[in-house]
Amino acid sequence: ASDEIIWHCKHYTGRGVMKHFASGEDLCKEMGIAVSTLEATHQQHFEASQKQAKDPEGGPFPAYPSGKAWDEPSGQTGVGKKFYHNVIDGSKVKTEPFYVAIITPVIHYC
């Protein structure tokens, strides 16, 4: 997936707001989680993408901006994911390279 936006990945990695990991296994070590946890999450996402491709309006969750979605985590928020790009099967996570954005939580006052 990073091939499509490699300039951005290199730019933000150089500024310290993204990190590159040679593998999902390395990412999991950094996060302090089991590889199986990240594999399961990716597998769930992969399966939702396959269902969405096969039956775009048959999902049980409301989708953003309209329609129905199969993705449970986003669907439970009321804005289910409908469009998938560069999805990988959970079994590939351990050896796939990752660019990861570092997000800082902030409170925004209006």
Side-chain angles (χ1 to χ4, degrees), residues 2-3 25 35-37 41 46 49 68 77 82 85 87 90 94-95 103:
S2 63
D3 291 345
E25 186 172 30
V35 173
S36 60
T37 301
T41 300
F46 177 78
S49 75
K68 294 291 187 176
T77 68
K82 286 180 70 170
H85 305 281
V87 183
K94 187 174 183 176
T95 58
I103 305 297

Side-chain angles (χ1 to χ4, degrees), residues 32-45:
I33 65 170
V35 173
S36 60
T37 301
L38 192 58
E39 287 172 336
T41 300
H42 273 265
Q43 187 61 33
Q44 181 183 21
H45 189 71

Side-chain angles (χ1 to χ4, degrees), residues 63-78:
Y64 179 83
S66 64
K68 294 291 187 176
W70 290 96
D71 185 56
E72 184 175 354
S74 65
Q76 290 179 339
T77 68

Side-chain angles (χ1 to χ4, degrees), residues 14-73:
R15 280 156 182 70
V17 294
M18 285 186 90
K19 286 179 105 172
H20 177 259
F21 294 92
S23 68
E25 186 172 30
D26 291 343
L27 172 59
C28 290
K29 285 177 188 172
E30 172 89 5
M31 293 173 66
I33 65 170
V35 173
S36 60
T37 301
L38 192 58
E39 287 172 336
T41 300
H42 273 265
Q43 187 61 33
Q44 181 183 21
H45 189 71
F46 177 78
E47 289 172 9
S49 75
Q50 299 302 300
K51 290 177 184 176
Q52 196 72 34
K54 184 178 179 181
D55 186 6
E57 294 301 325
F61 304 103
Y64 179 83
S66 64
K68 294 291 187 176
W70 290 96
D71 185 56
E72 184 175 354

